[in-house]
Amino acid sequence: MTTTDERPAGDPATTNVDERQARQVAESARETSWRKPSFGKELFLGRLRLDLIDPWPTPDPEAAARGAEFLAKLRAYAEAEIDGGQIERDARIPDEVLRGLGELGAFGMKIEQEYGGLGLSNLDYCRALTLVGSASPAIGALLSAHQSIGVPQPLKLLGTPEQKKRYLPRLAAGEVSAFLLTEPDVGSDPARLSSTATPVQGGYWLDGVKLWATNGTLATLLVVMARVPASEGHKGGITAFIVEADSPGVTVERRNAFLGLRGLENSLTRFHQVFVPTENVIGREGQGLKIALTTLNTGRLSLAASCVGAGKWCLSVARQWAAERVQWGVPIGRHEAVAKRLAFIAATTYAMESMLDLSCLLADDNRNDIRIEAGLIKLFASEKAWLMADDLVQIRGGRGFETAESLRARGEKGIAAEQILRDLRINRIFEGSTEVMQLMVAREAVDAHLSVAGDIIDPEAAFSRKARAGARAGLFYGRWLPTLAVGKGQLPGGYGDFGALAPHVRYIERAARKLSRETFYAMARWRGKMERKQGFLFRVVDIGAELYAMAASCVRARTEGDPAGLELADLFCRQARVRVEALFTALWQNTDTLDVRAARRVLEGRYESVEEGILPLDEPGEWVAKWQAGQSTVEDVRRRF
Ligand SMILES: Cc1cc2nc3c(=O)[nH]c(=O)nc-3n(C[C@H](O)[C@H](O)[C@H](O)COP(=O)(O)OP(=O)(O)OC[C@H]3O[C@@H](n4cnc5c(N)ncnc54)[C@H](O)[C@@H]3O)c2cc1C
């Protein structure tokens, strides 16, 4: 224990992290056990376990009624009170809107009723975010960061009864919370985390600088990740703390501004010897990253909810505009190139919503482990929503590039297509970038192989461990490989109860087995080097995402029986199959090795001459700002409402 005043600017031991250590930290934060069945895990093992998602789970009627009542109120409030254009113009969500949402209970949607919240299901929570995000994406992001990654979610999962009693009622009543993991030098790689929590009498001194905390300028309660040094009586490690934002030593140094989400209240926050009592540790010391990852499982669903909302909005604009706008003698929606974009937006939005609803329902009925599905939908929804918004901008032509205000000033509808593109872009980066999602899902996809054969390919494993692993692998593969050869997808009448969609379900079954076979061949070929084959692995994950989207669409369409839904599910599956086939081909026919070699040469400056002809970069400052421990030297810019 120490009470010293002086602290180094980041701990050199943590800022010099090599690749292996980074992997170890990520690996140790991984939930290794599978206590519940997982559709996604089975899919990557080549098994289409439709029984896990079919019949389509039904929500609890009492919870559904409560959700419907709240959604109606939220819709009325959003229509009457939220002016998305004004939020965009002012880069600020008005105080009265924040208070109004608080009174409505929107800050407690996911908090249990016994703590003053609404206790909504994941499904209704996501529907609320889709709805409110269509009025203002910045409000969607605020509510989602508050509840999906802020204090309510980790407390729900791991909080003590005292912590829940103390904090949840405040949050349900409208206090805002934020989640602070990122630092200037810590993005995708938490092993570099350098904020420290030094044990002192009755608690910890918290020191560090946290970057890009959504809601950080508004929040009164924070979840902060900091590293506890190991010492006597302290296991140490990255730990999650609940911190009162107005504690002495907390300074909100900046509000950051971005490409999109202009209304976002996002901070750079400094902690200087902030006292945090022991009872504010969430879980145990060293559990911080595990908590962050578990929190994000359902957190990722809310990000997809905003993408679903974006898809619906793009479809609505594209449908009306492409019917109205006439060029070359016909409405532009009749030209094949535009028609293809319309068809993509319609089918993909249907699939995305199917995936989201299914993942929420699976999370709500608590029978399945949805960590893979949550990763797949975050990845799929953020990537596809971006493509849809880009298509919308193209369909709108010059008007797609013009701001809503400028359009309105000319007497046209203020359709903010350029804004949705800007607002959506961050979804591919935060809460686990696309690459991090692909890494995470890929790790789970090859987990079965690593758990039986990992020691064979581990260069550091002793001979005896390799031999034992060899025997284990022989048993596993002896039983598993034959199951990949044949399946129901090959039977002409297989999955006949899906009617016109049956060929697609058969395709999913065949593709899942093929995917698993390809993964096995790749493991056998590359062994320990497999983890570096991101081109290959990420395509495997992308195929998995398409197959999950197809399965969700087919089961939903058949369950609902709506002819329009059946058509869209069929269309989506046909489009997805074209993409899946291209991905399968690219597994083995690609320029991955060449690209890696070329990239190394780019980094070495070999191709610098290509940059000639433009002004040189002479931007002053660091690429990554260094932070110094100590008191803040700037004015606190937090906002109170
Ligand atoms: C608007 C906004 C809001 C945010 N809100 C929050 C918040 O509320 N709380 C919070 O803690 N953080 C927040 N963040 C931070 C966000 O989560 C990070 O930006 C994100 O984790 C990526 O980290 P980074 O930007 O440092 O990128 P880096 O980690 O530096 O990554 C740069 C690029 O390299 C890729 N990359 C990195 N590692 C690998 C790898 N092993 N394999 C392949 N590719 C790799 C990344 O995918 C990315 O494309 C926010 C950021 C923004 C911009």
Side-chain angles (χ1 to χ4, degrees):
M1 278 205 292
T2 172
T3 52
T4 177
D5 268 21
E6 297 302 317
R7 239 155 288 274
D11 177 356
T14 61
T15 47
N16 291 323
V17 174
D18 67 21
E19 202 177 342
R20 203 167 135 264
Q21 288 164 313
R23 279 215 179 87
Q24 274 170 354
V25 169
E27 191 61 19
S28 64
R30 225 185 112 239
E31 179 60 67
T32 49
S33 59
W34 292 85
R35 277 178 230 105
K36 295 183 212 156
S38 157
F39 178 82
K41 187 174 168 63
E42 295 289 334
L43 193 72
F44 285 110
L45 278 170
R47 297 191 281 247
L48 175 61
R49 286 283 309 275
L50 266 190
D51 59 306
L52 295 175
I53 61 169
D54 185 26
W56 193 254
T58 38
D60 168 56
E62 190 268 326
R66 205 157 11 99
E69 193 190 332
F70 174 72
L71 283 167
K73 276 195 221 158
L74 185 66
R75 172 183 286 271
Y77 180 82
E79 275 174 348
E81 306 294 339
I82 299 178
D83 180 347
Q86 187 200 338
I87 293 171
E88 175 69 5
R89 221 170 23 252
D90 301 347
R92 185 182 170 92
I93 302 166
D95 286 358
E96 56 277 15
V97 170
L98 293 171
R99 280 195 291 267
L101 288 167
E103 281 157 23
L104 215 58
F107 288 89
M109 287 188 277
K110 273 195 96 177
I111 296 174
E112 288 98 330
Q113 287 175 296
E114 62 177 305
Y115 299 112
L118 299 176
L120 295 190
S121 62
N122 280 295
L123 184 69
D124 289 322
Y125 168 62
C126 282
R127 285 188 172 158
L129 291 177
T130 299
L131 178 69
V132 84
S134 70
S136 161
I139 293 182
L142 176 137
L143 291 175
S144 158
H146 164 73
Q147 284 167 95
S148 293
I149 56 177
V151 175
Q153 188 63 13
L155 280 200
K156 187 176 185 161
L157 296 169
L158 276 159
T160 63
E162 291 72 33
Q163 288 173 337
K164 290 182 184 177
K165 248 183 268 160
R166 191 171 325 137
Y167 297 114
L168 293 180
R170 283 171 54 185
L171 295 161
E175 282 191 47
V176 180
S177 82
F179 170 82
L180 291 78
L181 167 65
T182 303
E183 298 176 4
D185 202 30
V186 181
S188 312
D189 177 9
R192 300 177 78 88
L193 197 109
S194 64
S195 291
T196 53
T198 312
V200 291
Q201 196 63 44
Y204 302 81
W205 284 127
L206 194 60
D207 287 270
V209 167
K210 292 289 183 182
L211 182 60
W212 295 327
T214 297
N215 298 348
T217 51
L218 287 174
T220 50
L221 282 171
L222 315 172
V223 179
V224 182
M225 296 289 163
R227 190 184 292 276
V228 178
S231 62
E232 209 187 316
H234 290 274
K235 181 171 173 276
I238 298 174
T239 305
F241 297 90
I242 307 168
V243 180
E244 296 275 358
D246 57 7
S247 305
V250 181
T251 312
V252 178
E253 295 197 331
R254 287 196 55 76
R255 178 183 171 201
N256 306 305
F258 301 100
L259 171 73
L261 294 179
R262 280 170 43 79
L264 205 69
E265 290 283 347
N266 183 286
S267 72
L268 175 72
T269 302
R270 174 176 289 267
F271 299 85
H272 174 59
Q273 297 185 358
V274 176
F275 180 73
V276 185
T278 307
E279 61 266 24
N280 282 23
V281 171
I282 308 178
R284 291 192 310 275
E285 272 183 17
Q287 274 192 321
L289 284 183
K290 217 166 216 169
I291 291 171
L293 288 186
T294 318
T295 298
L296 279 171
N297 270 345
T298 45
R300 293 196 173 113
L301 301 180
S302 61
L303 193 145
S306 70
C307 296
V308 168
K312 286 172 182 280
W313 188 83
C314 289
L315 183 59
S316 177
V317 174
R319 170 177 59 80
Q320 297 175 64
W321 165 251
E324 177 76 24
R325 176 70 168 171
V326 175
Q327 293 286 281
W328 297 55
V330 288
I332 57 166
R334 298 268 186 84
H335 295 301
E336 187 169 301
V338 178
K340 284 181 71 63
R341 294 185 200 275
L342 285 172
F344 172 71
I345 296 174
T348 309
T349 302
Y350 181 83
M352 210 188 265
E353 187 177 45
S354 309
M355 258 173 135
L356 176 64
D357 285 2
L358 176 61
S359 307
C360 285
L361 287 163
L362 292 176
D364 286 333
D365 81 3
N366 217 9
R367 270 184 299 157
N368 288 349
D369 188 320
I370 61 141
R371 82 187 87 148
I372 291 185
E373 289 81 343
L376 289 178
I377 190 174
K378 195 281 176 182
L379 171 68
F380 183 89
S382 59
E383 288 293 322
K384 292 289 194 288
W386 168 253
L387 294 179
M388 289 196 281
D390 187 51
D391 275 347
L392 176 68
V393 169
Q394 194 67 18
I395 293 172
R396 286 277 288 157
R399 288 168 179 81
F401 194 65
E402 190 172 4
T403 66
E405 243 184 297
S406 174
L407 285 160
R408 245 181 248 122
R410 297 194 294 104
E412 293 196 2
K413 286 182 188 295
I415 301 292
E418 56 81 36
Q419 187 194 331
I420 200 155
L421 197 64
R422 290 188 286 104
D423 287 348
L424 276 175
R425 187 62 183 82
I426 188 57
N427 290 325
R428 298 168 62 202
I429 297 171
F430 65 10
E431 295 192 26
S433 68
T434 286
E435 292 76 15
V436 167
M437 284 299 90
Q438 286 168 320
L439 274 178
M440 183 206 98
V441 178
R443 174 65 188 82
E444 301 304 344
V446 297
D447 185 52
H449 304 282
L450 289 182
S451 57
V452 293
D455 283 345
I456 305 175
I457 59 178
D458 181 355
E460 284 168 34
F463 178 76
S464 58
R465 267 172 58 199
K466 281 187 194 294
R468 273 199 303 277
R472 242 187 356 252
L475 259 180
F476 171 77
Y477 290 121
R479 263 186 276 132
W480 175 72
L481 278 172
T483 67
L484 299 183
V486 282
K488 202 171 161 186
Q490 285 162 306
L491 301 176
Y495 305 103
D497 52 329
F498 278 87
L501 298 176
H504 301 312
V505 184
R506 290 200 288 273
Y507 178 86
I508 303 170
E509 197 278 336
R510 293 195 306 272
R513 277 186 289 114
K514 181 172 175 183
L515 187 63
S516 201
R517 285 197 304 267
E518 302 286 19
T519 312
F520 173 73
Y521 297 147
M523 285 284 294
R525 176 173 170 181
W526 288 313
R527 297 169 171 245
K529 293 196 190 112
M530 177 84 166
E531 63 183 3
R532 295 188 151 276
K533 295 286 178 190
Q534 292 189 343
F536 182 94
L537 286 171
F538 292 4
R539 286 182 201 105
V540 165
V541 174
D542 288 346
I543 293 172
E546 297 279 1
L547 297 181
Y548 179 46
M550 286 173 70
S553 303
C554 288
V555 177
R556 172 187 170 194
R558 196 210 42 191
T559 307
E560 291 177 353
D562 168 27
L566 288 161
E567 280 166 28
L568 285 173
D570 177 59
L571 176 63
F572 175 77
C573 288
R574 287 171 192 271
Q575 293 173 351
R577 286 170 67 165
V578 173
R579 291 191 293 264
V580 168
E581 286 305 307
L583 284 164
F584 269 128
T585 303
L587 282 180
W588 303 106
Q589 290 173 33
N590 54 61
T591 54
D592 293 353
T593 310
L594 272 179
D595 294 340
V596 168
R597 199 180 308 142
R600 198 165 298 145
R601 290 178 179 162
V602 169
L603 296 178
E604 287 162 3
R606 183 174 168 80
Y607 305 134
E608 255 177 70
S609 60
V610 179
E611 297 165 22
E612 281 168 16
I614 57 161
L615 296 180
L617 277 185
D618 63 352
E619 193 58 32
E622 307 277 349
W623 285 100
V624 176
K626 305 262 183 305
W627 64 273
Q628 294 294 323
Q631 235 152 12
S632 183
T633 53
V634 298
E635 204 183 322
D636 189 286
V637 296
R638 84 186 62 204
R639 176 180 161 198
R640 291 275 178 252
F641 67 93

